Amino acid sequence: AQSVTQPDIHITVSEGASLELRCNYSYGATPYLFWYVQSPGQGLQLLLKYFSGDTLVQGIKGFEAEFKRSQSSFNLRKPSVHWSDAAEYFCAVDPGYSTLTFGKGTMLLVSP
Amino acid sequence: DADVTQTPRNRITKTGKRIMLECSQTKGHDRMYWYRQDPGLGLRLIYYSFDVKDINKGEISDGYSVSRQAQAKFSLSLESAIPNQTALYFCATSTGVSNQPQHFGDGTRLSIL
């Protein structure tokens, strides 16, 4: 069955440290890939997306993600985390049907 | 003003009641979606609509129905609410191009007692 896996339910990172959030998908072909962020009480905001081409994509707020076909992964990274990055992060895939399947999310906590 | 507006933002109701959640958008998008979010489960698709005459079931449509009243309006109904439908509900929209992202409203928090 098609699926999206975010293996880390919670991650705690010190402010200023680097961050990597993992996402793996299981689809027959390369889907369209997205990362969204949800701050408390808010809807989902798009951070970045991958459709084709360069496998390293840049997003808003200093985030980037790298698509690795061989690993079926689309991991989100940030070189230096700020306290305002504390939120829940969702990886999502669209296999081409214009519908999204979401991972279960990773809650990012930022320590002083 | 928000591009995707959900009403109400919060609702508390009793088991067995009929509930309607409304979504309107000013983005001019053809496609609209309803999701529910439960802690630890992420977002799951309930129903989606690619245009006014098109309605499709998502992953978890049982117990729900929808109405696409116009291009800009998409309502979700719970015919007879039950406690396990307590969740955060999101509406989203997108253009007709499949590789374009979805845009989300701020959600409706629904509690069923």
Side-chain angles (χ1 to χ4, degrees):
Chain A
Q2 300 171 339
S3 66
V4 180
T5 302
Q6 293 180 246
D8 303 305
I9 298 173
H10 296 98
I11 281 185
T12 300
V13 175
S14 298
E15 189 168 15
S18 63
L19 169 70
E20 182 170 30
L21 302 182
R22 296 181 290 165
C23 174
N24 293 94
Y25 63 89
S26 173
Y27 284 90
T30 300
Y32 304 121
L33 299 158
F34 304 85
W35 275 100
Y36 285 87
V37 60
Q38 183 183 26
S39 299
Q42 302 296 315
L44 277 71
Q45 181 183 22
L46 179 72
L47 285 175
L48 46 74
K49 59 189 179 186
Y50 172 78
F51 303 137
S52 64
D54 192 347
T55 56
L56 185 64
V57 294
Q58 302 297 319
I60 62 171
K61 305 185 180 185
F63 285 91
E64 65 179 25
E66 184 173 14
F67 167 62
K68 293 185 177 180
R69 185 188 307 273
S70 62
Q71 297 177 18
S72 297
S73 69
F74 188 54
N75 293 348
L76 182 71
R77 303 194 295 241
K78 187 169 184 178
S80 178
V81 169
H82 188 263
W83 63 267
S84 60
D85 293 324
E88 190 160 21
Y89 292 80
F90 293 95
C91 179
V93 302
D94 174 359
Y97 313 139
S98 294
T99 61
L100 287 177
T101 298
F102 284 84
K104 294 182 178 180
T106 298
M107 182 68 73
L108 172 64
L109 305 174
V110 180
S111 61
Chain B
D1 290 338
D3 295 323
V4 183
T5 302
Q6 294 185 233
T7 56
R9 290 296 313 278
N10 295 280
R11 179 75 183 270
I12 300 173
T13 191
K14 295 181 179 180
T15 297
K17 294 292 187 180
R18 184 178 188 274
I19 303 299
M20 179 179 285
L21 308 183
E22 298 186 338
C23 178
S24 62
Q25 52 118 345
T26 58
K27 299 186 76 66
H29 289 170
D30 287 325
R31 301 184 176 191
M32 299 187 74
Y33 309 80
W34 277 106
Y35 295 88
R36 68 175 279 176
Q37 182 181 17
D38 299 277
L41 296 181
L43 280 77
R44 293 178 291 167
L45 183 62
I46 306 172
Y47 270 96
Y48 60 103
S49 169
F50 284 177
D51 64 42
V52 174
K53 297 181 180 180
D54 177 75
I55 300 291
N56 303 282
K57 292 182 177 181
E59 177 187 354
I60 53 164
S61 59
D62 287 350
Y64 300 95
S65 62
V66 291
S67 173
R68 185 80 184 266
Q69 301 96 323
Q71 187 210 34
K73 296 184 182 296
F74 192 37
S75 299
L76 177 72
S77 293
L78 288 67
E79 298 302 325
S80 180
I82 56 176
N84 74 4
Q85 291 177 312
T86 293
L88 184 56
Y89 290 83
F90 285 103
C91 175
T93 73
S94 71
T95 69
V97 181
S98 63
N99 63 7
Q100 292 301 302
Q102 295 181 15
H103 300 263
F104 288 79
D106 287 337
T108 294
R109 186 167 297 279
L110 178 62
S111 298
I112 300 165
L113 306 179

